[in-house]
Amino acid sequence: MHVAHTVEDLIGSTPLVDLSRLAGGAARVLGKLEATNPGGTIIEPTSGNTGVGLAMVAAARPECAGRTIVAVLPDTGERYLSVEA
């Protein structure tokens, strides 16, 4: 088992899970286990779709209560307005 000495030791080490079976062998698909992020904050650079999706899932799932999601996206366009709302 890996034991981190500081929070900084955890940055860039989010565990990945192989989900390729969901693509039927057509592609290698990896999922990040964001729940292991220290501090309970998810920061996602996005053009809109991922940020909107993460916000919807976090709002709907009780196990996400108390988590903060920061979606970093351009300050123009329809997506910006829908996330702000």
Side-chain angles (χ1 to χ4, degrees):
M1 172 174 31
H2 172 73
V3 177
H5 297 286
T6 67
V7 172
E8 287 82 11
D9 291 343
L10 300 173
I11 295 172
S13 299
T14 304
L16 300 175
V17 174
D18 191 338
L19 302 171
S20 300
R21 70 186 189 300
L22 299 176
R28 184 167 189 203
V29 179
L30 301 175
K32 288 175 67 177
L33 295 177
E34 296 288 357
T36 64
N37 282 342
T41 299
I42 297 171
I43 301 175
E44 181 67 33
T46 178
S47 62
N49 290 336
T50 303
V52 170
L54 285 171
M56 290 171 60
V57 169
R61 300 188 69 164
E63 63 268 25
C64 294
R67 284 194 150 310
T68 300
I69 296 178
V70 179
V72 181
L73 56 135
D75 62 357
T76 59
E78 184 178 320
R79 290 288 183 195
Y80 177 77
L81 297 175
S82 67
V83 171
E84 187 175 56

